[in-house]
Amino acid sequence: MQFSLDHKTASLSVGDFSDFALGPRDSFGGPQGLWRAQLGQHWHNELKTQIVREHTVGGTLRPDVLFEVPIEGRLAHRGWSITLTGRIDQIIGPTLREIKTVTRPLPTEESTLRADYPAYFLQLSTYVILLRASALNPPLSALNPQRSTPNCSPLRSELVFVEASSGLAQTIALTPFDEALVHHQLDALVQFLDQQLRARERRRTLHFRPPFTDLRPGQETIQADLRAAFGCVESPESSVQHSGEDSPTLDARHSTAAPPLAALHSQSATILLFEAPTGYGKTGCVLEFALSQLQSGRFTRLIWLTGKSTGQLQVVRTLEQMTAVASSGPRPGQPREATQPAPTPSPPQPASPPAPPTPLSPTPATSNPIGYFKSSRFGRTPGTSTPIGYFDSSPQRTPLAQSNPIGYSGQSTAGKQPNQSTLLGYLLPGAPLAFWQVRNKSEHCVNHTYHCVREGCDYLNGAAERWPGSGLSRYYLDETQPHDLDTLRAAGKAAHICPYEITRAALAFNDVWIGDYNYVFAPDNRGLFFDQPGFDPRTTLLAIDEAHNLPTRVADAYSHRANDTDARLLLAELDHLRAPGPLLLAVEAWTMLLAALQPTDTIDAALESELHDCIERLVRLTATLPLDYTALGPKHSETLWQFTALDEFLADPNLRRLLWCPRAGELNFTCTDATAAIGETLNRFGGAILMSATLQPYATMAAACGIIQVGRGVPAEPSSVGKSDVVPASASRLVGTTRPTTYATLHAPAPWRENAYDVAVDTRVETTYKQRANYYGTTAATIEAMHAAASAQRAKPNVQPSTLNPQLSGSSPSGSELSTLSSQLSTSSASPTIAVFFPSYAYAESVLRALENSNSVLRVALQPKLPDLAAQNAWVEESLALTDALFLVLGSSFAEGIDLLGGRVTHAMVVGPALPEVNPVQKARLETYAGLGREAAFRRVYQIPGLQKVNQALGRLVRAPGQKAKVLLHCRRFADTSYSSLLAMEYQFYREISTVDELRAWLNETPTQA
Ligand code: SF4
């Protein structure tokens, strides 16, 4: 659907119009798939042949018999002009016919068909109205001479239902009542459009405060840098690099020039790789930038993706706090009333040491030191202690205020004064930002069984009819309605409507969508976002957090697995339900194929072809045969529905794939590289920010995400799918023209991380799979020594190397020598906790055994398998209090998702670069990149992911100014340039340790000596 809010026009297809719904639609469960469309086309062709045969005289088809006739018309409704276009299947004289293929047995009761397929009736009725009411179809007028006047047409209309499996047809004639329903549909569409007008006003008058009360060093110019990176303006002093330059920088230069607001509208969209260290506050910074973009009108929506629910909650909380008091007190840009208290300037900050930033975190005491709001968006109550502190009166904000005319500075929004009365007259001053965190469908579920088929779920069956009287529209008509999961579940249960339908209906009215990567990148889930009415990716800003995980996550989303056990169980159940014979035979053939599989790294082409044929047959049968999915149950239904996904996987030209068997009877459909699919999706958006602490090498990241570089512009989608909402005329050049799909890179400066790490590479050991067992003892002893050094540092910060045992001067390290060193260093009863990162559980367990064998008294906690982040956090807290060493696995959520170690762990070891295990998938990926050369392919498949995990883990040890960490990279491979060059810049200035003396000396250096 395209619409212009300025001109109050909308344009959409008749199919989209008849499918349009503000609430739930009737659903029958299961994928529709390509086969359903192909089958529909088959019966269309059959019926066409039949009609041609019946109406051909002397070899000539009657001139008033037409097929696939384009129809276009414009309907005026409640101040809107709506253009509808479509193509009707058949016109035979005065009769319009639309053909619809269904899987249910025919004939059936007309009332049942009307209840189950209302959109089909609406579609045909719309064609009739367009044809009758409009003079826009002169060719049709000519073909229907009886249709002399628009309003007294003798047109008839028939809906022809065709049973998919047999071709049996049932015809239903439409009535005047059907045509009346078109006006109801117009009402629903206009309600939606009016809400979009309201949303535009909401965004234009959006007010928000910065996410931090004080800026951390390095944040001063980040807003200007982000704007420059996005092509708004490029300051010559900016740290932004374009075209994927790969040179990281610690002394990034800053832009101080503020781009004129008009510049925001005049530049092309881009993709930004934004790298910022853990603790930098990139969520707040990017949100501030994104809100300013919504406010300016460059984007109409923000989608924020992150794989972790904790990350999503952080975004929600930050948004709540940035926008919470929009209706309280004077807004930025408004003159303060004389009776209002003057804003209280923030106190001046000490010059040294640099003050840590004050993030808006969930704990009121720490998150909201300026105290200008007390409650969340849900149940918004303006704070009472507000000398409104968000004017940029503090010295820290001043430079940013000058460079940010659209945000919280003294300038009004985009040159506009905030509206007190709006275009529609019902927008309250300070209408809050509307944002929605999307949770999984299963989390919404209130049915006894999570099985979304109509007959099996009373919350789905009949939901469309119940919706209008349910009152659930309040969730999109009122932004202040609480919509946490518990509230949605309770509301859905009370209205007897699936709570997920509330989320689905409300999304179209929200400015910010927060959810998992899958809602944009996974073929099974993306429909929730992409099918939303009015959603246009080209006016949407996409923000992807922890983007270093994106290539893997998307590849996983495209991968599938099948096994003979599931197939056998499905076959037994289908047999029990007396499913149609052809389906039983096909499932049996599938089961036998799987059962015959033996472990192999890749299956041969002949077998793949046979499997594909079988899958195609199964898809065709499940698309055509009526089945009782309620009786079949959720597990077997999923097995059956999976064939559609497998078929699409095998046919998708965007995927690189591997079919292999890890064990007998199991077939893995693994996507080894989803680069093209990611790139295709990213390029649909008007702008994208991919952010993480570890994105370098940028060029590799850009390549892994399928981002096309400068000079390789790709044609944008046809202009017919575009729409203009708040996109200004100057920016509309982006639509329907060639959009240069460049990317920019931005490394956020964090001067407080300089010299925060004291890094050494331990070249005494080798941690390759073949060699590691030779060094378990040394590794165990080194851990003991490191813990002793941490203890000594805590107890006696200035301990000198000369106080240590002189026997340790030999060049051959041994476990006993290091133990002696440990005991000498253990001069305090205070026992700090060190962190030791391993590439795998198995490795960690082996070293744990080595410690036990050496009678170590260290209390070690090996990371457990815990289900959720709260439990993991609790385990870390407990272990920090009660143990001497945390054994963590690189790449796990303990190493990448927990931020409790910053400033609390001063000593850490990384036992080897965490290269991915060698398996058929990695081998296939290596082969994929063989064209790059052996070394480059190895770097891309093994070294970059491995060192990314190391950088992720180490980044969490220093999260704020003043924190320091001593890090031992315990493997000689770290000193190899091909590995060390992939370390983050802060870890590249390391010392090499080749003897125990050197280790001793390094361990005994105090932080000030480092
Ligand atoms: S209530 Fe549960 S089973 Fe029913 S439609 Fe919703 S998610 Fe599916």
Short mmCIF file of all heavy atoms in Angstrom, two decimals, residues 441-442 444-447 449-453 456-460 497-501, ligand 1:
data_model
loop_
_atom_site.label_atom_id
_atom_site.label_comp_id
_atom_site.label_asym_id
_atom_site.label_seq_id
_atom_site.Cartn_x
_atom_site.Cartn_y
_atom_site.Cartn_z
N LYS A 441 5.72 -15.77 19.69
CA LYS A 441 4.31 -16.13 19.70
C LYS A 441 4.01 -17.11 20.82
O LYS A 441 2.98 -17.03 21.49
CB LYS A 441 3.93 -16.74 18.35
CG LYS A 441 2.45 -16.95 18.18
CD LYS A 441 2.10 -17.38 16.78
CE LYS A 441 0.58 -17.36 16.58
NZ LYS A 441 0.19 -17.83 15.25
N SER A 442 4.91 -18.04 21.04
CA SER A 442 4.65 -19.05 22.08
C SER A 442 4.55 -18.42 23.46
O SER A 442 3.84 -18.92 24.33
CB SER A 442 5.75 -20.13 22.07
OG SER A 442 7.00 -19.53 22.31
N HIS A 444 3.17 -15.61 24.05
CA HIS A 444 1.84 -15.01 24.13
C HIS A 444 0.76 -16.06 24.42
O HIS A 444 -0.34 -15.72 24.86
CB HIS A 444 1.45 -14.35 22.80
CG HIS A 444 2.19 -13.07 22.48
ND1 HIS A 444 3.48 -13.04 22.05
CD2 HIS A 444 1.78 -11.76 22.51
CE1 HIS A 444 3.85 -11.78 21.82
NE2 HIS A 444 2.84 -11.00 22.09
N CYS A 445 1.06 -17.30 24.12
CA CYS A 445 0.01 -18.32 24.04
C CYS A 445 -0.76 -18.51 25.35
O CYS A 445 -0.17 -18.59 26.42
CB CYS A 445 0.64 -19.66 23.62
SG CYS A 445 -0.60 -20.92 23.31
N VAL A 446 -2.08 -18.56 25.23
CA VAL A 446 -2.93 -18.82 26.41
C VAL A 446 -3.75 -20.08 26.20
O VAL A 446 -4.60 -20.41 27.04
CB VAL A 446 -3.85 -17.61 26.70
CG1 VAL A 446 -3.07 -16.45 27.26
CG2 VAL A 446 -4.63 -17.19 25.46
N ASN A 447 -3.53 -20.76 25.11
CA ASN A 447 -4.26 -22.00 24.85
C ASN A 447 -3.62 -23.15 25.65
O ASN A 447 -2.46 -23.05 26.07
CB ASN A 447 -4.21 -22.31 23.34
CG ASN A 447 -5.24 -23.34 22.94
OD1 ASN A 447 -6.25 -23.49 23.61
ND2 ASN A 447 -4.99 -24.03 21.85
N THR A 449 -2.62 -25.86 24.52
CA THR A 449 -1.52 -26.40 23.72
C THR A 449 -1.12 -25.35 22.70
O THR A 449 -1.99 -24.70 22.10
CB THR A 449 -1.98 -27.66 22.94
OG1 THR A 449 -2.63 -28.54 23.85
CG2 THR A 449 -0.80 -28.37 22.29
N TYR A 450 0.18 -25.20 22.52
CA TYR A 450 0.64 -24.24 21.53
C TYR A 450 0.57 -24.89 20.16
O TYR A 450 1.50 -25.53 19.69
CB TYR A 450 2.07 -23.80 21.86
CG TYR A 450 2.67 -22.84 20.85
CD1 TYR A 450 1.97 -21.72 20.43
CD2 TYR A 450 3.93 -23.06 20.32
CE1 TYR A 450 2.50 -20.84 19.50
CE2 TYR A 450 4.48 -22.19 19.39
CZ TYR A 450 3.76 -21.09 18.99
OH TYR A 450 4.28 -20.23 18.06
N HIS A 451 -0.61 -24.75 19.55
CA HIS A 451 -0.84 -25.36 18.24
C HIS A 451 -1.82 -24.46 17.52
O HIS A 451 -3.03 -24.51 17.77
CB HIS A 451 -1.40 -26.78 18.43
CG HIS A 451 -1.52 -27.54 17.14
ND1 HIS A 451 -0.65 -27.38 16.10
CD2 HIS A 451 -2.40 -28.50 16.75
CE1 HIS A 451 -0.99 -28.20 15.11
NE2 HIS A 451 -2.05 -28.88 15.48
N CYS A 452 -1.29 -23.62 16.63
CA CYS A 452 -2.10 -22.54 16.08
C CYS A 452 -2.89 -23.01 14.86
O CYS A 452 -2.63 -22.59 13.73
CB CYS A 452 -1.21 -21.36 15.73
SG CYS A 452 -0.19 -20.81 17.10
N VAL A 453 -3.84 -23.85 15.09
CA VAL A 453 -4.79 -24.20 14.02
C VAL A 453 -6.18 -23.86 14.54
O VAL A 453 -6.46 -23.99 15.73
CB VAL A 453 -4.69 -25.69 13.62
CG1 VAL A 453 -3.36 -25.97 12.96
CG2 VAL A 453 -4.91 -26.60 14.80
N GLY A 456 -8.25 -26.11 16.68
CA GLY A 456 -7.62 -26.55 17.93
C GLY A 456 -7.44 -25.45 18.94
O GLY A 456 -6.95 -25.70 20.04
N CYS A 457 -7.82 -24.24 18.58
CA CYS A 457 -7.60 -23.14 19.52
C CYS A 457 -8.81 -22.22 19.50
O CYS A 457 -9.08 -21.54 18.50
CB CYS A 457 -6.33 -22.36 19.15
SG CYS A 457 -6.11 -20.91 20.20
N ASP A 458 -9.51 -22.16 20.60
CA ASP A 458 -10.69 -21.31 20.69
C ASP A 458 -10.34 -19.83 20.66
O ASP A 458 -11.21 -18.98 20.45
CB ASP A 458 -11.45 -21.61 21.99
CG ASP A 458 -12.14 -22.97 21.92
OD1 ASP A 458 -12.29 -23.47 20.78
OD2 ASP A 458 -12.48 -23.52 22.97
N TYR A 459 -9.07 -19.51 20.95
CA TYR A 459 -8.66 -18.10 20.93
C TYR A 459 -8.38 -17.63 19.50
O TYR A 459 -8.23 -16.45 19.26
CB TYR A 459 -7.41 -17.90 21.80
CG TYR A 459 -7.67 -18.22 23.24
CD1 TYR A 459 -7.40 -19.49 23.75
CD2 TYR A 459 -8.22 -17.27 24.09
CE1 TYR A 459 -7.65 -19.80 25.07
CE2 TYR A 459 -8.48 -17.56 25.42
CZ TYR A 459 -8.19 -18.83 25.90
OH TYR A 459 -8.46 -19.13 27.21
N LEU A 460 -8.30 -18.59 18.59
CA LEU A 460 -8.08 -18.26 17.18
C LEU A 460 -9.38 -18.38 16.40
O LEU A 460 -9.69 -17.52 15.56
CB LEU A 460 -7.02 -19.22 16.61
CG LEU A 460 -6.47 -18.92 15.23
CD1 LEU A 460 -5.79 -17.57 15.21
CD2 LEU A 460 -5.47 -20.01 14.84
N ILE A 497 -9.42 -13.90 22.61
CA ILE A 497 -8.69 -13.69 21.35
C ILE A 497 -7.21 -13.92 21.63
O ILE A 497 -6.69 -13.47 22.66
CB ILE A 497 -8.92 -12.24 20.83
CG1 ILE A 497 -10.37 -12.10 20.35
CG2 ILE A 497 -7.95 -11.89 19.71
CD1 ILE A 497 -10.76 -10.71 19.91
N CYS A 498 -6.55 -14.61 20.72
CA CYS A 498 -5.12 -14.89 20.91
C CYS A 498 -4.35 -13.58 21.17
O CYS A 498 -4.43 -12.65 20.36
CB CYS A 498 -4.57 -15.57 19.66
SG CYS A 498 -2.76 -15.71 19.70
N PRO A 499 -3.60 -13.51 22.26
CA PRO A 499 -2.87 -12.27 22.58
C PRO A 499 -1.88 -11.85 21.50
O PRO A 499 -1.58 -10.68 21.34
CB PRO A 499 -2.13 -12.62 23.88
CG PRO A 499 -2.90 -13.74 24.47
CD PRO A 499 -3.45 -14.52 23.32
N TYR A 500 -1.38 -12.83 20.76
CA TYR A 500 -0.45 -12.48 19.69
C TYR A 500 -1.12 -11.61 18.63
O TYR A 500 -0.46 -10.79 17.98
CB TYR A 500 0.07 -13.77 19.05
CG TYR A 500 1.26 -13.60 18.14
CD1 TYR A 500 2.50 -13.20 18.66
CD2 TYR A 500 1.17 -13.85 16.78
CE1 TYR A 500 3.60 -13.06 17.84
CE2 TYR A 500 2.28 -13.71 15.96
CZ TYR A 500 3.48 -13.31 16.49
OH TYR A 500 4.57 -13.18 15.67
N GLU A 501 -2.43 -11.78 18.48
CA GLU A 501 -3.15 -10.96 17.51
C GLU A 501 -3.20 -9.50 17.96
O GLU A 501 -3.31 -8.60 17.12
CB GLU A 501 -4.57 -11.50 17.30
CG GLU A 501 -4.61 -12.89 16.70
CD GLU A 501 -3.91 -12.97 15.34
OE1 GLU A 501 -3.86 -11.96 14.64
OE2 GLU A 501 -3.41 -14.06 15.00
S1 SF4 B 1 -3.58 -18.85 21.80
FE1 SF4 B 1 -1.74 -20.08 21.47
S2 SF4 B 1 -2.40 -21.78 20.15
FE2 SF4 B 1 -3.97 -20.19 20.05
S3 SF4 B 1 -3.42 -19.01 18.25
FE3 SF4 B 1 -2.55 -17.98 20.03
S4 SF4 B 1 -0.47 -18.77 20.19
FE4 SF4 B 1 -1.61 -20.15 18.82
#
